[in-house]
């Protein structure tokens, strides 16, 4: 079992309905934490027994500590200051659809010669999810793109897919700690290198601040925080409930801090040169592995990669 399936609640749809129909209700989340699923997760994540133990105990202090280690998240004063600055002005809403996104994504994959299929699925808990061994990208019908353009979110997902296909082409194994670098790179590309304020950067900044808030606040406080900063009800639900993945009782403080990983690592990577950023596309490597790859190689040519994403 992948960590995504392990931390994604199984009853999001029913708890969403209860949240919006019952005053002062805090969702009570359920997970597939059977003995079999725990064993599967342990085998695929052998170094993260701390996170499993914390989640099973539902000790929020332990969950915060273990999650910060697992997702490599920090809340540096300079990042919090930047996030507040980016979140200070509400951008216009985009309100694109899942179909818009899926159509553009399939077109770009075809143009790049990447043999992946795009499938709209009736699933909750994510926007898009690559299944690399099946050359498939699943897009949730329930995603909500209030501040995310189809072009920018497509570029985000292309980072995941291009690194996967290049890694296979270059015979580069996936680094054990690749994920924070990959998500930071995907957000940096999506947010146009944080060179200018964008709607996507606004959302990523607010999610970072929400992850910071989640350490001491319950879900309803996070939801209200997002509403007060311009999120509509659907977006505040989708982006807010993620802060409580891993908890059963969302009225409690704590959570996985995963949303904080994106903005934090985006800031770590923004100081790299264009050449260094290109080299991160050789495969699913982490920033700490970059020195092993002095030049970019891949199934996608350097010129096409620059034209497509930079």
């Amino acid at each position: 079992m992948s960590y995504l399936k392990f931390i994604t609640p199984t009853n999001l749809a029913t708890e969403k309905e209860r949240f919006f129909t019952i005053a002062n209700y805090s969702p009570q989340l359920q997970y597939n934490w059977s003995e079999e699923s725990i064993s599967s997760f342990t085998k695929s994540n052998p170094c993260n027994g701390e996170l499993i133990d914390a989640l099973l105990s539902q000790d929020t202090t332990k969950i915060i500590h273990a999650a910060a280690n697992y997702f490599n998240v920090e809340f540096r004063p300079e990042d919090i200051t930047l996030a507040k600055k980016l979140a200070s002005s509400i951008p216009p809403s985009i309100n694109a659809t899942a179909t818009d996104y899926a159509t553009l994504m399939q077109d770009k994959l075809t143009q790049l010669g990447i043999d992946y299929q795009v499938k709209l699925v009736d699933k909750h808990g994510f926007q898009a999810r690559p299944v690399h061994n099946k050359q498939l990208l699943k897009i949730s019908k329930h995603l909500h793109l209030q501040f995310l353009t189809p072009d920018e979110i497509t570029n985000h997902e292309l980072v995941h897919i291009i690194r996967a296909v290049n890694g296979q082409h270059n015979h580069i194994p996936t680094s054990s700690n690749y994920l924070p670098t990959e998500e930071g790179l995907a957000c940096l590309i999506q947010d146009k290198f944080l060179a200018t304020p964008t709607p996507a950067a606004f959302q990523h900044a607010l999610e970072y601040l929400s992850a910071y808030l989640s350490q001491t606040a319950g879900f309803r406080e996070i939801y209200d925080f997002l509403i007060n900063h311009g999120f509509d009800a659907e977006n505040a639900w989708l982006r807010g409930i993620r802060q409580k993945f891993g908890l059963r009782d969302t009225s409690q403080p704590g959570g996985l801090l995963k949303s904080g990983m994106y903005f934090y690592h985006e800031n770590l990577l923004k100081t790299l040169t264009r050449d260094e950023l290109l080299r991160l596309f050789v495969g699913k490597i982490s920033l700490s592995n970059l020195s092993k790859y002095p030049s970019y190689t891949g199934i996608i040519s350097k010129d096409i990669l620059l034209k497509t994403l930079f």
Side-chain angles (χ1 to χ4, degrees):
M1 172 179 279
S2 73
Y3 85 93
L4 289 170
K5 288 185 177 179
F6 192 79
I7 66 175
T8 302
T10 58
N11 63 334
L12 279 173
T14 55
E15 289 305 285
K16 177 184 178 182
E17 182 178 355
R18 288 172 180 165
F19 174 75
F20 283 111
T21 56
I22 302 174
N24 300 318
Y25 180 76
S26 293
Q28 304 297 300
L29 303 179
Q30 299 173 3
Y31 303 88
N32 180 17
W33 290 347
S34 64
E35 184 175 336
E36 180 181 358
S37 69
I38 294 170
S39 175
S40 174
F41 182 68
T42 303
K43 288 179 181 178
S44 58
N45 300 267
C47 299
N48 291 284
E50 180 189 19
L51 180 64
I52 296 172
D53 291 342
L55 290 174
L56 295 178
S57 74
Q58 288 294 287
D59 183 315
T60 56
T61 300
K62 289 181 179 178
I63 291 173
I64 290 170
H65 178 76
N69 289 335
Y70 187 87
F71 293 112
N72 191 7
V73 181
E74 292 184 28
F75 296 99
R76 304 182 301 181
E78 60 267 39
D79 296 328
I80 292 173
T81 297
L82 176 60
K84 288 180 177 178
K85 181 180 178 181
L86 289 170
S88 63
S89 180
I90 301 171
S93 294
I94 306 298
N95 293 328
T97 68
T99 301
D100 295 332
Y101 173 26
T103 300
L104 181 60
M105 188 78 219
Q106 190 67 73
D107 287 346
K108 283 205 172 186
L109 289 168
T110 301
Q111 291 168 15
L112 291 169
I114 298 176
D115 187 21
Y116 270 57
Q117 296 300 309
V118 177
K119 182 179 181 181
L120 286 171
V121 296
D122 188 15
K123 299 287 185 180
H124 294 264
F126 65 94
Q127 290 187 148
R129 186 166 289 174
V131 186
H132 297 301
N133 63 344
K134 295 182 179 180
Q135 296 175 288
L136 174 69
L137 177 68
K138 296 180 180 179
I139 294 177
S140 171
K141 294 179 180 178
H142 305 285
L143 64 76
H144 187 65
L145 304 179
Q146 183 185 3
F147 298 115
L148 306 178
T149 70
D151 186 64
E152 290 168 351
I153 197 171
T154 293
N155 287 346
H156 179 113
E157 215 58 47
L158 282 174
V159 172
H160 297 304
I161 293 173
I162 290 173
R163 278 174 38 109
V165 298
N166 276 346
Q168 283 189 318
H169 175 78
N170 293 325
H171 304 290
I172 296 174
T174 300
S175 300
S176 60
N177 58 340
Y178 83 96
L179 183 65
T181 295
E182 180 155 309
E183 294 293 6
L185 180 61
C187 287
L188 192 64
I189 295 292
Q190 180 181 358
D191 294 347
K192 302 185 185 301
F193 304 96
L194 293 174
T196 184
T198 65
F202 166 82
Q203 176 156 316
H204 289 143
L206 273 173
E207 291 192 65
Y208 182 71
L209 294 173
S210 296
Y212 180 63
L213 177 62
S214 74
Q215 297 173 100
T216 56
F219 169 66
R220 279 197 163 271
E221 188 173 344
I222 295 167
Y223 177 86
D224 290 341
F225 170 78
L226 293 172
I227 290 289
N228 291 336
H229 282 80
F231 278 35
D232 61 28
E234 180 69 10
N235 207 21
W237 161 264
L238 289 171
R239 313 319 292 179
I241 197 64
R242 296 176 74 214
Q243 308 298 340
K244 292 301 171 182
F245 281 13
L247 295 188
R248 291 193 173 97
D249 181 0
T250 68
S251 69
Q252 298 300 308
L256 288 176
L257 310 181
K258 182 172 180 280
S259 293
M261 171 182 68
Y262 299 78
F263 189 77
Y264 170 59
H265 284 273
E266 179 178 15
N267 276 292
L268 292 182
L269 296 180
K270 72 180 181 182
T271 60
L272 298 185
T273 65
R274 187 176 72 169
D275 177 70
E276 289 171 326
L277 291 172
L278 276 169
R279 286 156 51 202
L280 286 174
F281 280 92
V282 298
K284 286 184 173 290
I285 64 171
S286 69
L287 181 59
S288 62
N289 303 131
L290 185 59
S291 61
K292 299 178 182 179
Y293 306 98
S295 61
Y296 169 78
T297 57
I299 196 170
I300 308 298
S301 75
K302 178 178 178 179
D303 289 343
I304 291 177
L305 183 55
L306 284 169
K307 182 179 179 181
T308 302
L309 297 181
F310 284 75

Short mmCIF file of all heavy atoms in Angstrom, two decimals, residues 162-163 166 170 185 189 193 272-283 285 290 293-298 300-307 309-310:
data_model
loop_
_atom_site.label_atom_id
_atom_site.label_comp_id
_atom_site.label_asym_id
_atom_site.label_seq_id
_atom_site.Cartn_x
_atom_site.Cartn_y
_atom_site.Cartn_z
N ILE A 162 7.33 13.45 -16.13
CA ILE A 162 8.60 13.55 -16.86
C ILE A 162 9.74 12.98 -16.02
O ILE A 162 10.62 12.27 -16.54
CB ILE A 162 8.88 15.00 -17.27
CG1 ILE A 162 7.89 15.42 -18.37
CG2 ILE A 162 10.31 15.17 -17.78
CD1 ILE A 162 7.96 16.90 -18.74
N ARG A 163 9.75 13.25 -14.73
CA ARG A 163 10.80 12.67 -13.88
C ARG A 163 10.69 11.15 -13.84
O ARG A 163 11.70 10.44 -13.77
CB ARG A 163 10.72 13.27 -12.47
CG ARG A 163 11.42 14.63 -12.41
CD ARG A 163 11.28 15.35 -11.10
NE ARG A 163 11.33 14.61 -9.88
CZ ARG A 163 12.36 14.65 -9.01
NH1 ARG A 163 13.43 15.38 -9.28
NH2 ARG A 163 12.30 13.97 -7.88
N ASN A 166 11.82 9.82 -17.42
CA ASN A 166 13.27 10.02 -17.56
C ASN A 166 14.04 9.07 -16.65
O ASN A 166 15.11 8.57 -17.04
CB ASN A 166 13.64 11.46 -17.24
CG ASN A 166 13.46 12.40 -18.41
OD1 ASN A 166 13.29 11.95 -19.55
ND2 ASN A 166 13.49 13.69 -18.16
N ASN A 170 16.81 6.67 -18.05
CA ASN A 170 18.20 6.81 -17.59
C ASN A 170 18.63 5.71 -16.62
O ASN A 170 19.78 5.69 -16.18
CB ASN A 170 18.37 8.16 -16.89
CG ASN A 170 18.23 9.34 -17.83
OD1 ASN A 170 18.62 9.28 -18.98
ND2 ASN A 170 17.66 10.44 -17.33
N LEU A 185 9.62 21.13 -6.65
CA LEU A 185 9.91 21.45 -8.05
C LEU A 185 8.62 21.64 -8.83
O LEU A 185 8.49 22.58 -9.63
CB LEU A 185 10.75 20.33 -8.67
CG LEU A 185 11.15 20.50 -10.13
CD1 LEU A 185 12.00 21.74 -10.34
CD2 LEU A 185 11.90 19.24 -10.62
N ILE A 189 7.54 25.20 -10.66
CA ILE A 189 7.18 25.30 -12.08
C ILE A 189 5.76 25.86 -12.21
O ILE A 189 5.49 26.76 -13.01
CB ILE A 189 7.29 23.93 -12.76
CG1 ILE A 189 8.74 23.43 -12.78
CG2 ILE A 189 6.70 23.98 -14.17
CD1 ILE A 189 9.68 24.19 -13.66
N PHE A 193 8.03 30.09 -10.87
CA PHE A 193 9.29 30.35 -10.16
C PHE A 193 9.17 31.45 -9.10
O PHE A 193 10.18 32.02 -8.69
CB PHE A 193 10.41 30.67 -11.17
CG PHE A 193 10.59 29.59 -12.20
CD1 PHE A 193 9.98 29.69 -13.44
CD2 PHE A 193 11.32 28.46 -11.90
CE1 PHE A 193 10.11 28.67 -14.38
CE2 PHE A 193 11.46 27.44 -12.83
CZ PHE A 193 10.86 27.55 -14.07
N LEU A 272 18.07 27.81 -6.92
CA LEU A 272 18.88 27.04 -7.87
C LEU A 272 18.94 27.73 -9.22
O LEU A 272 18.02 28.47 -9.60
CB LEU A 272 18.31 25.63 -8.05
CG LEU A 272 18.27 24.71 -6.82
CD1 LEU A 272 17.78 23.33 -7.23
CD2 LEU A 272 19.61 24.62 -6.12
N THR A 273 19.99 27.46 -9.97
CA THR A 273 20.09 27.97 -11.34
C THR A 273 19.17 27.16 -12.25
O THR A 273 18.71 26.07 -11.89
CB THR A 273 21.52 27.85 -11.86
OG1 THR A 273 21.88 26.45 -11.96
CG2 THR A 273 22.51 28.55 -10.93
N ARG A 274 18.93 27.67 -13.45
CA ARG A 274 18.10 26.93 -14.40
C ARG A 274 18.73 25.59 -14.74
O ARG A 274 18.03 24.58 -14.87
CB ARG A 274 17.90 27.76 -15.68
CG ARG A 274 16.90 27.12 -16.65
CD ARG A 274 16.63 27.98 -17.85
NE ARG A 274 17.77 28.03 -18.76
CZ ARG A 274 17.74 28.53 -19.98
NH1 ARG A 274 16.63 29.07 -20.43
NH2 ARG A 274 18.81 28.52 -20.74
N ASP A 275 20.06 25.56 -14.86
CA ASP A 275 20.75 24.30 -15.16
C ASP A 275 20.55 23.29 -14.03
O ASP A 275 20.31 22.10 -14.29
CB ASP A 275 22.25 24.55 -15.36
CG ASP A 275 23.02 23.27 -15.60
OD1 ASP A 275 22.84 22.67 -16.67
OD2 ASP A 275 23.79 22.85 -14.70
N GLU A 276 20.62 23.74 -12.80
CA GLU A 276 20.42 22.83 -11.67
C GLU A 276 18.98 22.32 -11.64
O GLU A 276 18.75 21.13 -11.36
CB GLU A 276 20.77 23.55 -10.37
CG GLU A 276 22.27 23.78 -10.20
CD GLU A 276 22.59 24.69 -9.02
OE1 GLU A 276 21.78 25.62 -8.75
OE2 GLU A 276 23.63 24.48 -8.39
N LEU A 277 18.02 23.18 -11.92
CA LEU A 277 16.63 22.74 -11.97
C LEU A 277 16.41 21.72 -13.07
O LEU A 277 15.69 20.73 -12.89
CB LEU A 277 15.71 23.95 -12.16
CG LEU A 277 15.61 24.92 -10.98
CD1 LEU A 277 14.82 26.17 -11.39
CD2 LEU A 277 14.97 24.27 -9.77
N LEU A 278 17.02 21.93 -14.23
CA LEU A 278 16.92 20.98 -15.32
C LEU A 278 17.46 19.61 -14.92
O LEU A 278 16.87 18.57 -15.25
CB LEU A 278 17.69 21.48 -16.55
CG LEU A 278 16.97 22.45 -17.47
CD1 LEU A 278 17.94 23.06 -18.47
CD2 LEU A 278 15.83 21.74 -18.20
N ARG A 279 18.57 19.61 -14.22
CA ARG A 279 19.19 18.34 -13.81
C ARG A 279 18.32 17.55 -12.84
O ARG A 279 18.43 16.32 -12.75
CB ARG A 279 20.57 18.60 -13.22
CG ARG A 279 21.62 18.95 -14.27
CD ARG A 279 22.78 19.74 -13.70
NE ARG A 279 23.35 19.12 -12.51
CZ ARG A 279 24.05 19.79 -11.59
NH1 ARG A 279 24.26 21.08 -11.72
NH2 ARG A 279 24.55 19.14 -10.55
N LEU A 280 17.43 18.23 -12.13
CA LEU A 280 16.50 17.53 -11.25
C LEU A 280 15.50 16.68 -12.03
O LEU A 280 14.82 15.84 -11.44
CB LEU A 280 15.75 18.52 -10.36
CG LEU A 280 16.54 19.16 -9.21
CD1 LEU A 280 15.70 20.22 -8.51
CD2 LEU A 280 17.00 18.10 -8.20
N PHE A 281 15.42 16.89 -13.35
CA PHE A 281 14.48 16.14 -14.18
C PHE A 281 15.06 14.83 -14.72
O PHE A 281 14.40 14.14 -15.50
CB PHE A 281 14.02 17.00 -15.36
CG PHE A 281 12.95 17.99 -15.01
CD1 PHE A 281 13.29 19.28 -14.62
CD2 PHE A 281 11.61 17.66 -15.07
CE1 PHE A 281 12.31 20.21 -14.31
CE2 PHE A 281 10.63 18.57 -14.75
CZ PHE A 281 10.98 19.87 -14.36
N VAL A 282 16.27 14.45 -14.31
CA VAL A 282 16.85 13.20 -14.83
C VAL A 282 16.12 11.98 -14.30
O VAL A 282 16.21 10.89 -14.88
CB VAL A 282 18.36 13.10 -14.50
CG1 VAL A 282 19.13 14.23 -15.16
CG2 VAL A 282 18.61 13.05 -12.99
N GLY A 283 15.43 12.13 -13.20
CA GLY A 283 14.70 11.03 -12.59
C GLY A 283 14.12 11.48 -11.27
O GLY A 283 14.17 12.66 -10.93
N ILE A 285 14.88 11.96 -8.25
CA ILE A 285 15.98 12.14 -7.31
C ILE A 285 15.64 13.25 -6.33
O ILE A 285 14.72 14.04 -6.56
CB ILE A 285 17.29 12.48 -8.04
CG1 ILE A 285 17.18 13.83 -8.76
CG2 ILE A 285 17.67 11.36 -9.01
CD1 ILE A 285 18.48 14.35 -9.32
N LEU A 290 21.68 15.66 -6.32
CA LEU A 290 21.89 16.42 -7.56
C LEU A 290 23.33 16.39 -8.03
O LEU A 290 23.61 16.34 -9.24
CB LEU A 290 21.44 17.87 -7.36
CG LEU A 290 21.47 18.78 -8.59
CD1 LEU A 290 20.60 18.22 -9.70
CD2 LEU A 290 21.03 20.20 -8.22
N TYR A 293 24.63 14.03 -10.79
CA TYR A 293 24.17 14.16 -12.18
C TYR A 293 24.58 15.53 -12.72
O TYR A 293 23.84 16.50 -12.61
CB TYR A 293 22.65 13.96 -12.24
CG TYR A 293 22.23 12.65 -11.61
CD1 TYR A 293 21.76 12.60 -10.28
CD2 TYR A 293 22.37 11.45 -12.30
CE1 TYR A 293 21.43 11.39 -9.69
CE2 TYR A 293 22.04 10.24 -11.71
CZ TYR A 293 21.57 10.23 -10.41
OH TYR A 293 21.25 9.02 -9.82
N PRO A 294 25.78 15.60 -13.31
CA PRO A 294 26.34 16.90 -13.74
C PRO A 294 25.67 17.51 -14.96
O PRO A 294 25.90 18.67 -15.28
CB PRO A 294 27.80 16.57 -14.03
CG PRO A 294 27.81 15.10 -14.37
CD PRO A 294 26.73 14.50 -13.52
N SER A 295 24.84 16.72 -15.66
CA SER A 295 24.15 17.28 -16.83
C SER A 295 22.79 16.61 -16.98
O SER A 295 22.55 15.51 -16.46
CB SER A 295 24.97 17.06 -18.10
OG SER A 295 25.18 15.67 -18.34
N TYR A 296 21.90 17.30 -17.71
CA TYR A 296 20.56 16.75 -17.94
C TYR A 296 20.58 15.74 -19.07
O TYR A 296 21.16 15.98 -20.13
CB TYR A 296 19.57 17.86 -18.28
CG TYR A 296 18.24 17.30 -18.78
CD1 TYR A 296 17.31 16.79 -17.89
CD2 TYR A 296 17.95 17.23 -20.14
CE1 TYR A 296 16.12 16.23 -18.32
CE2 TYR A 296 16.75 16.68 -20.60
CZ TYR A 296 15.84 16.17 -19.68
OH TYR A 296 14.67 15.62 -20.12
N THR A 297 19.96 14.60 -18.86
CA THR A 297 19.69 13.62 -19.91
C THR A 297 18.28 13.10 -19.70
O THR A 297 17.80 13.03 -18.57
CB THR A 297 20.67 12.43 -19.87
OG1 THR A 297 20.61 11.81 -18.57
CG2 THR A 297 22.10 12.88 -20.15
N GLY A 298 17.62 12.73 -20.79
CA GLY A 298 16.27 12.20 -20.64
C GLY A 298 15.62 11.90 -21.97
O GLY A 298 16.12 12.29 -23.03
N ILE A 300 12.84 13.16 -22.85
CA ILE A 300 12.38 14.47 -23.30
C ILE A 300 13.62 15.34 -23.51
O ILE A 300 14.43 15.49 -22.59
CB ILE A 300 11.45 15.13 -22.27
CG1 ILE A 300 10.32 14.18 -21.87
CG2 ILE A 300 10.89 16.45 -22.80
CD1 ILE A 300 9.40 13.77 -22.99
N SER A 301 13.79 15.91 -24.69
CA SER A 301 15.00 16.69 -24.96
C SER A 301 15.04 17.95 -24.08
O SER A 301 14.01 18.44 -23.63
CB SER A 301 15.05 17.10 -26.43
OG SER A 301 14.13 18.14 -26.70
N LYS A 302 16.24 18.45 -23.88
CA LYS A 302 16.43 19.66 -23.07
C LYS A 302 15.66 20.84 -23.64
O LYS A 302 15.00 21.58 -22.90
CB LYS A 302 17.93 19.99 -23.00
CG LYS A 302 18.26 21.24 -22.22
CD LYS A 302 19.76 21.45 -22.18
CE LYS A 302 20.13 22.72 -21.45
NZ LYS A 302 21.61 22.91 -21.40
N ASP A 303 15.71 21.01 -24.95
CA ASP A 303 15.03 22.14 -25.58
C ASP A 303 13.52 22.07 -25.40
O ASP A 303 12.86 23.07 -25.11
CB ASP A 303 15.37 22.21 -27.07
CG ASP A 303 16.81 22.66 -27.32
OD1 ASP A 303 17.43 23.22 -26.39
OD2 ASP A 303 17.32 22.43 -28.44
N ILE A 304 12.96 20.87 -25.56
CA ILE A 304 11.51 20.70 -25.41
C ILE A 304 11.11 20.89 -23.96
O ILE A 304 10.07 21.51 -23.66
CB ILE A 304 11.07 19.32 -25.92
CG1 ILE A 304 11.21 19.26 -27.45
CG2 ILE A 304 9.63 19.01 -25.52
CD1 ILE A 304 10.87 17.93 -28.06
N LEU A 305 11.93 20.40 -23.04
CA LEU A 305 11.62 20.56 -21.61
C LEU A 305 11.62 22.04 -21.23
O LEU A 305 10.70 22.52 -20.54
CB LEU A 305 12.65 19.80 -20.78
CG LEU A 305 12.45 19.79 -19.27
CD1 LEU A 305 11.07 19.29 -18.88
CD2 LEU A 305 13.53 18.95 -18.60
N LEU A 306 12.61 22.78 -21.74
CA LEU A 306 12.68 24.20 -21.45
C LEU A 306 11.46 24.93 -22.02
O LEU A 306 10.85 25.79 -21.36
CB LEU A 306 13.96 24.80 -22.03
CG LEU A 306 15.24 24.51 -21.27
CD1 LEU A 306 16.46 24.93 -22.09
CD2 LEU A 306 15.25 25.23 -19.93
N LYS A 307 11.10 24.58 -23.25
CA LYS A 307 9.98 25.24 -23.91
C LYS A 307 8.66 24.91 -23.22
O LYS A 307 7.75 25.77 -23.14
CB LYS A 307 9.92 24.81 -25.38
CG LYS A 307 8.82 25.48 -26.18
CD LYS A 307 8.85 25.02 -27.63
CE LYS A 307 7.72 25.68 -28.44
NZ LYS A 307 7.74 25.22 -29.86
N LEU A 309 8.10 23.80 -19.90
CA LEU A 309 7.90 24.08 -18.48
C LEU A 309 8.59 25.32 -17.96
O LEU A 309 8.24 25.81 -16.88
CB LEU A 309 8.38 22.87 -17.65
CG LEU A 309 7.63 21.55 -17.86
CD1 LEU A 309 8.22 20.48 -16.96
CD2 LEU A 309 6.15 21.71 -17.58
N PHE A 310 9.55 25.87 -18.69
CA PHE A 310 10.34 26.98 -18.15
C PHE A 310 9.97 28.33 -18.80
O PHE A 310 9.50 28.41 -19.87
CB PHE A 310 11.84 26.72 -18.34
CG PHE A 310 12.38 25.71 -17.36
CD1 PHE A 310 12.10 24.36 -17.50
CD2 PHE A 310 13.18 26.11 -16.29
CE1 PHE A 310 12.60 23.42 -16.62
CE2 PHE A 310 13.69 25.19 -15.40
CZ PHE A 310 13.40 23.82 -15.55
#
